[in-house]
PDB file of all heavy atoms in Angstrom:
ATOM      1  N   LEU C 195      -7.269  -4.689 -19.943  1.00  0.00           N
ATOM      2  CA  LEU C 195      -7.348  -5.636 -21.057  1.00  0.00           C
ATOM      3  C   LEU C 195      -8.802  -5.544 -21.691  1.00  0.00           C
ATOM      4  O   LEU C 195      -8.970  -5.588 -22.885  1.00  0.00           O
ATOM      5  CB  LEU C 195      -6.993  -7.076 -20.645  1.00  0.00           C
ATOM      6  CG  LEU C 195      -5.520  -7.215 -20.278  1.00  0.00           C
ATOM      7  CD1 LEU C 195      -5.276  -8.527 -19.536  1.00  0.00           C
ATOM      8  CD2 LEU C 195      -4.563  -7.261 -21.589  1.00  0.00           C
ATOM      9  N   MET C 196      -9.708  -5.704 -20.799  1.00  0.00           N
ATOM     10  CA  MET C 196     -11.129  -5.726 -21.292  1.00  0.00           C
ATOM     11  C   MET C 196     -11.556  -4.472 -22.208  1.00  0.00           C
ATOM     12  O   MET C 196     -12.277  -4.574 -23.093  1.00  0.00           O
ATOM     13  CB  MET C 196     -12.073  -5.851 -20.066  1.00  0.00           C
ATOM     14  CG  MET C 196     -12.197  -7.204 -19.486  1.00  0.00           C
ATOM     15  SD  MET C 196     -13.334  -7.050 -18.135  1.00  0.00           S
ATOM     16  CE  MET C 196     -13.242  -8.705 -17.439  1.00  0.00           C
ATOM     17  N   ARG C 197     -10.956  -3.314 -21.801  1.00  0.00           N
ATOM     18  CA  ARG C 197     -11.282  -2.125 -22.489  1.00  0.00           C
ATOM     19  C   ARG C 197     -10.871  -2.216 -23.884  1.00  0.00           C
ATOM     20  O   ARG C 197     -11.478  -1.561 -24.785  1.00  0.00           O
ATOM     21  CB  ARG C 197     -10.505  -0.929 -21.777  1.00  0.00           C
ATOM     22  CG  ARG C 197     -11.199  -0.173 -20.684  1.00  0.00           C
ATOM     23  CD  ARG C 197     -10.359   0.788 -20.104  1.00  0.00           C
ATOM     24  NE  ARG C 197     -10.228   1.969 -20.909  1.00  0.00           N
ATOM     25  CZ  ARG C 197      -9.191   2.733 -20.937  1.00  0.00           C
ATOM     26  NH1 ARG C 197      -8.216   2.549 -20.283  1.00  0.00           N
ATOM     27  NH2 ARG C 197      -9.158   3.898 -21.650  1.00  0.00           N
ATOM     28  N   VAL C 198      -9.796  -2.971 -24.162  1.00  0.00           N
ATOM     29  CA  VAL C 198      -9.284  -3.048 -25.542  1.00  0.00           C
ATOM     30  C   VAL C 198      -9.656  -4.442 -26.128  1.00  0.00           C
ATOM     31  O   VAL C 198      -9.179  -4.840 -27.119  1.00  0.00           O
ATOM     32  CB  VAL C 198      -7.784  -2.806 -25.728  1.00  0.00           C
ATOM     33  CG1 VAL C 198      -7.479  -1.376 -25.357  1.00  0.00           C
ATOM     34  CG2 VAL C 198      -7.006  -3.794 -24.788  1.00  0.00           C
ATOM     35  N   GLY C 199     -10.713  -5.043 -25.417  1.00  0.00           N
ATOM     36  CA  GLY C 199     -11.364  -6.274 -26.085  1.00  0.00           C
ATOM     37  C   GLY C 199     -10.480  -7.514 -25.827  1.00  0.00           C
ATOM     38  O   GLY C 199     -10.776  -8.526 -26.485  1.00  0.00           O
ATOM     39  N   LYS C 200      -9.490  -7.446 -24.939  1.00  0.00           N
ATOM     40  CA  LYS C 200      -8.646  -8.649 -24.712  1.00  0.00           C
ATOM     41  C   LYS C 200      -9.180  -9.426 -23.565  1.00  0.00           C
ATOM     42  O   LYS C 200      -9.629  -8.840 -22.587  1.00  0.00           O
ATOM     43  CB  LYS C 200      -7.164  -8.184 -24.488  1.00  0.00           C
ATOM     44  CG  LYS C 200      -6.484  -7.666 -25.749  1.00  0.00           C
ATOM     45  CD  LYS C 200      -5.001  -7.513 -25.567  1.00  0.00           C
ATOM     46  CE  LYS C 200      -4.387  -7.055 -26.798  1.00  0.00           C
ATOM     47  NZ  LYS C 200      -3.063  -6.465 -26.465  1.00  0.00           N
ATOM     48  N   ARG C 201      -8.889 -10.734 -23.626  1.00  0.00           N
ATOM     49  CA  ARG C 201      -9.373 -11.601 -22.516  1.00  0.00           C
ATOM     50  C   ARG C 201      -8.280 -11.660 -21.365  1.00  0.00           C
ATOM     51  O   ARG C 201      -7.144 -12.007 -21.607  1.00  0.00           O
ATOM     52  CB  ARG C 201      -9.496 -13.091 -22.969  1.00  0.00           C
ATOM     53  CG  ARG C 201     -10.707 -13.146 -23.957  1.00  0.00           C
ATOM     54  CD  ARG C 201     -10.649 -14.440 -24.672  1.00  0.00           C
ATOM     55  NE  ARG C 201     -10.768 -15.615 -23.768  1.00  0.00           N
ATOM     56  CZ  ARG C 201     -10.367 -16.867 -24.022  1.00  0.00           C
ATOM     57  NH1 ARG C 201      -9.908 -17.123 -25.200  1.00  0.00           N
ATOM     58  NH2 ARG C 201     -10.629 -17.841 -23.245  1.00  0.00           N
ATOM     59  N   PRO C 202      -8.596 -11.320 -20.179  1.00  0.00           N
ATOM     60  CA  PRO C 202      -7.659 -11.336 -19.067  1.00  0.00           C
ATOM     61  C   PRO C 202      -7.411 -12.753 -18.607  1.00  0.00           C
ATOM     62  O   PRO C 202      -8.253 -13.628 -18.822  1.00  0.00           O
ATOM     63  CB  PRO C 202      -8.342 -10.576 -17.901  1.00  0.00           C
ATOM     64  CG  PRO C 202      -9.552  -9.936 -18.541  1.00  0.00           C
ATOM     65  CD  PRO C 202      -9.937 -10.626 -19.779  1.00  0.00           C
ATOM     66  N   ALA C 203      -6.242 -12.990 -18.032  1.00  0.00           N
ATOM     67  CA  ALA C 203      -5.941 -14.346 -17.608  1.00  0.00           C
ATOM     68  C   ALA C 203      -6.163 -14.386 -16.066  1.00  0.00           C
ATOM     69  O   ALA C 203      -5.786 -13.491 -15.286  1.00  0.00           O
ATOM     70  CB  ALA C 203      -4.410 -14.587 -17.807  1.00  0.00           C
ATOM     71  N   ILE C 204      -6.873 -15.441 -15.635  1.00  0.00           N
ATOM     72  CA  ILE C 204      -7.067 -15.772 -14.246  1.00  0.00           C
ATOM     73  C   ILE C 204      -6.113 -16.828 -13.922  1.00  0.00           C
ATOM     74  O   ILE C 204      -6.158 -17.862 -14.569  1.00  0.00           O
ATOM     75  CB  ILE C 204      -8.485 -16.124 -14.008  1.00  0.00           C
ATOM     76  CG1 ILE C 204      -9.492 -14.935 -14.089  1.00  0.00           C
ATOM     77  CG2 ILE C 204      -8.690 -16.778 -12.613  1.00  0.00           C
ATOM     78  CD1 ILE C 204     -10.929 -15.229 -13.832  1.00  0.00           C
ATOM     79  N   PHE C 205      -5.220 -16.562 -12.939  1.00  0.00           N
ATOM     80  CA  PHE C 205      -4.314 -17.637 -12.534  1.00  0.00           C
ATOM     81  C   PHE C 205      -4.972 -18.605 -11.542  1.00  0.00           C
ATOM     82  O   PHE C 205      -5.248 -18.178 -10.421  1.00  0.00           O
ATOM     83  CB  PHE C 205      -3.059 -17.003 -12.006  1.00  0.00           C
ATOM     84  CG  PHE C 205      -2.371 -16.232 -13.030  1.00  0.00           C
ATOM     85  CD1 PHE C 205      -2.439 -14.854 -13.111  1.00  0.00           C
ATOM     86  CD2 PHE C 205      -1.522 -16.791 -13.940  1.00  0.00           C
ATOM     87  CE1 PHE C 205      -1.838 -14.094 -14.095  1.00  0.00           C
ATOM     88  CE2 PHE C 205      -0.881 -16.086 -15.048  1.00  0.00           C
ATOM     89  CZ  PHE C 205      -1.071 -14.716 -15.094  1.00  0.00           C
ATOM     90  N   GLY C 206      -5.220 -19.783 -11.991  1.00  0.00           N
ATOM     91  CA  GLY C 206      -5.993 -20.721 -11.158  1.00  0.00           C
ATOM     92  C   GLY C 206      -7.372 -20.856 -11.746  1.00  0.00           C
ATOM     93  O   GLY C 206      -7.548 -20.419 -12.885  1.00  0.00           O
ATOM     94  N   ASP C 207      -8.257 -21.361 -10.950  1.00  0.00           N
ATOM     95  CA  ASP C 207      -9.672 -21.586 -11.470  1.00  0.00           C
ATOM     96  C   ASP C 207     -10.629 -20.486 -11.169  1.00  0.00           C
ATOM     97  O   ASP C 207     -11.823 -20.599 -11.343  1.00  0.00           O
ATOM     98  CB  ASP C 207     -10.185 -22.971 -10.884  1.00  0.00           C
ATOM     99  CG  ASP C 207     -10.293 -22.933  -9.400  1.00  0.00           C
ATOM    100  OD1 ASP C 207     -10.005 -21.888  -8.736  1.00  0.00           O
ATOM    101  OD2 ASP C 207     -10.640 -23.948  -8.792  1.00  0.00           O
ATOM    102  N   GLY C 208     -10.130 -19.386 -10.607  1.00  0.00           N
ATOM    103  CA  GLY C 208     -10.977 -18.259 -10.314  1.00  0.00           C
ATOM    104  C   GLY C 208     -11.422 -18.167  -8.984  1.00  0.00           C
ATOM    105  O   GLY C 208     -12.058 -17.140  -8.575  1.00  0.00           O
ATOM    106  N   THR C 209     -11.111 -19.209  -8.197  1.00  0.00           N
ATOM    107  CA  THR C 209     -11.668 -19.214  -6.748  1.00  0.00           C
ATOM    108  C   THR C 209     -10.691 -18.586  -5.764  1.00  0.00           C
ATOM    109  O   THR C 209     -10.961 -18.519  -4.600  1.00  0.00           O
ATOM    110  CB  THR C 209     -11.896 -20.647  -6.220  1.00  0.00           C
ATOM    111  OG1 THR C 209     -10.654 -21.483  -6.405  1.00  0.00           O
ATOM    112  CG2 THR C 209     -13.032 -21.396  -7.119  1.00  0.00           C
ATOM    113  N   LYS C 210      -9.555 -18.240  -6.186  1.00  0.00           N
ATOM    114  CA  LYS C 210      -8.485 -17.491  -5.386  1.00  0.00           C
ATOM    115  C   LYS C 210      -9.084 -16.231  -4.878  1.00  0.00           C
ATOM    116  O   LYS C 210      -9.784 -15.563  -5.592  1.00  0.00           O
ATOM    117  CB  LYS C 210      -7.290 -17.255  -6.211  1.00  0.00           C
ATOM    118  CG  LYS C 210      -6.163 -16.421  -5.422  1.00  0.00           C
ATOM    119  CD  LYS C 210      -4.858 -16.637  -6.027  1.00  0.00           C
ATOM    120  CE  LYS C 210      -4.627 -16.030  -7.349  1.00  0.00           C
ATOM    121  NZ  LYS C 210      -4.677 -14.628  -7.557  1.00  0.00           N
ATOM    122  N   THR C 211      -9.045 -15.903  -3.556  1.00  0.00           N
ATOM    123  CA  THR C 211      -9.822 -14.749  -3.034  1.00  0.00           C
ATOM    124  C   THR C 211      -8.826 -13.713  -2.432  1.00  0.00           C
ATOM    125  O   THR C 211      -7.688 -14.113  -1.902  1.00  0.00           O
ATOM    126  CB  THR C 211     -10.801 -15.123  -1.857  1.00  0.00           C
ATOM    127  OG1 THR C 211     -10.067 -15.619  -0.742  1.00  0.00           O
ATOM    128  CG2 THR C 211     -11.796 -16.103  -2.397  1.00  0.00           C
ATOM    129  N   ARG C 212      -9.292 -12.438  -2.494  1.00  0.00           N
ATOM    130  CA  ARG C 212      -8.576 -11.383  -1.840  1.00  0.00           C
ATOM    131  C   ARG C 212      -9.649 -10.491  -1.215  1.00  0.00           C
ATOM    132  O   ARG C 212     -10.843 -10.649  -1.550  1.00  0.00           O
ATOM    133  CB  ARG C 212      -7.969 -10.487  -2.889  1.00  0.00           C
ATOM    134  CG  ARG C 212      -6.732 -11.157  -3.659  1.00  0.00           C
ATOM    135  CD  ARG C 212      -5.504 -11.155  -2.704  1.00  0.00           C
ATOM    136  NE  ARG C 212      -4.353 -11.801  -3.414  1.00  0.00           N
ATOM    137  CZ  ARG C 212      -4.179 -13.157  -3.424  1.00  0.00           C
ATOM    138  NH1 ARG C 212      -4.997 -13.909  -2.823  1.00  0.00           N
ATOM    139  NH2 ARG C 212      -3.096 -13.574  -3.943  1.00  0.00           N
ATOM    140  N   ASP C 213      -9.212  -9.598  -0.389  1.00  0.00           N
ATOM    141  CA  ASP C 213     -10.076  -8.628   0.204  1.00  0.00           C
ATOM    142  C   ASP C 213      -9.706  -7.287  -0.556  1.00  0.00           C
ATOM    143  O   ASP C 213      -8.547  -6.948  -0.724  1.00  0.00           O
ATOM    144  CB  ASP C 213      -9.724  -8.399   1.725  1.00  0.00           C
ATOM    145  CG  ASP C 213     -10.872  -7.774   2.417  1.00  0.00           C
ATOM    146  OD1 ASP C 213     -11.520  -6.886   1.924  1.00  0.00           O
ATOM    147  OD2 ASP C 213     -11.065  -8.057   3.681  1.00  0.00           O
ATOM    148  N   TYR C 214     -10.735  -6.577  -0.969  1.00  0.00           N
ATOM    149  CA  TYR C 214     -10.446  -5.361  -1.796  1.00  0.00           C
ATOM    150  C   TYR C 214     -10.936  -4.072  -1.107  1.00  0.00           C
ATOM    151  O   TYR C 214     -12.070  -4.041  -0.577  1.00  0.00           O
ATOM    152  CB  TYR C 214     -11.143  -5.402  -3.197  1.00  0.00           C
ATOM    153  CG  TYR C 214     -10.555  -6.437  -4.093  1.00  0.00           C
ATOM    154  CD1 TYR C 214     -10.735  -7.752  -3.967  1.00  0.00           C
ATOM    155  CD2 TYR C 214      -9.582  -6.015  -5.101  1.00  0.00           C
ATOM    156  CE1 TYR C 214     -10.110  -8.671  -4.845  1.00  0.00           C
ATOM    157  CE2 TYR C 214      -9.026  -6.778  -5.865  1.00  0.00           C
ATOM    158  CZ  TYR C 214      -9.232  -8.173  -5.830  1.00  0.00           C
ATOM    159  OH  TYR C 214      -8.553  -9.005  -6.647  1.00  0.00           O
TER     160      TYR C 214
END
Side-chain angles (χ1 to χ4, degrees):
L195 291 166
M196 285 180 181
R197 270 176 76 209
V198 294
K200 289 191 179 158
R201 294 165 62 197
I204 288 181
F205 295 100
D207 60 2
T209 57
K210 176 159 69 65
T211 66
R212 292 285 179 277
D213 198 329
Y214 284 83

